Amino acid sequence: PSSDWDQVRIFSGYSGWGAGQLEHELAQEAWLVLDAAPDDVRSTDPDDLWAAVLRRQHGPLALLASYPDEPAFN
């Protein structure tokens, strides 16, 4: 039987940022900081979630959704 726990995702990792580095990178707009939609947390296609988030953006940012995983193979 399925439960709510079947949909739980845990993202884990390590970053070696120095003091103030992340704040500096955010100020330089080196990161895409995008709003989540309520259904994002219940996505049934987690492998496509980032592309789905990009597709709903406006302008050129939406084009990143179709960027190949490995541009050298394009």
Side-chain angles (χ1 to χ4, degrees):
S2 180
S3 73
D4 288 340
W5 289 104
D6 291 339
Q7 300 301 314
V8 171
R9 292 184 194 92
I10 297 174
F11 299 92
S12 177
Y14 171 78
S15 173
W17 284 305
Q21 182 180 348
L22 178 58
E23 291 80 4
H24 176 75
E25 291 176 6
L26 288 169
Q28 296 294 314
E29 297 182 355
W31 289 86
L32 296 177
V33 180
L34 307 171
D35 292 332
D39 290 338
D40 287 347
V41 297
R42 291 185 174 85
S43 171
T44 58
D45 189 6
D47 292 335
D48 188 52
L49 181 57
W50 182 237
V53 170
L54 288 171
R55 276 192 296 275
R56 68 174 178 250
Q57 304 308 306
H58 299 285
L61 196 53
L63 294 174
L64 291 176
S66 59
Y67 198 76
D69 290 335
E70 185 56 60
F73 295 153
N74 191 9

